[in-house]
Amino acid sequence: MTTVLGLCVAIPTTLLHAIVAQRSRSVIHVLEEQTQGFIAEHAEKSGQALE
């Protein structure tokens, strides 16, 4: 019975972790793209070349 209860907790928790991890990777990707845009825009305004 303990194994059944353990699996009842473990399986949904694993699925939830996968969903949250994918969502966070997606948010991180968007933030990285926006940051690169801000840096490029700032470099253009200040007349500096990007490295």
Side-chain angles (χ1 to χ4, degrees), residues 3-41:
T3 303
V4 173
L5 293 176
L7 289 174
C8 287
V9 172
I11 293 172
T13 303
T14 303
L15 294 174
L16 183 61
H17 174 268
I19 292 168
V20 171
Q22 176 58 39
R23 185 81 176 196
S24 68
R25 281 191 296 268
S26 181
V27 169
I28 289 170
H29 179 71
V30 169
L31 290 173
E32 286 176 344
E33 286 182 341
Q34 289 180 349
T35 302
Q36 290 173 359
F38 290 141
I39 291 171
E41 183 179 335

Side-chain angles (χ1 to χ4, degrees), residues 42-49:
H42 178 72
E44 284 181 13
K45 286 182 181 177
S46 65
Q48 297 174 354

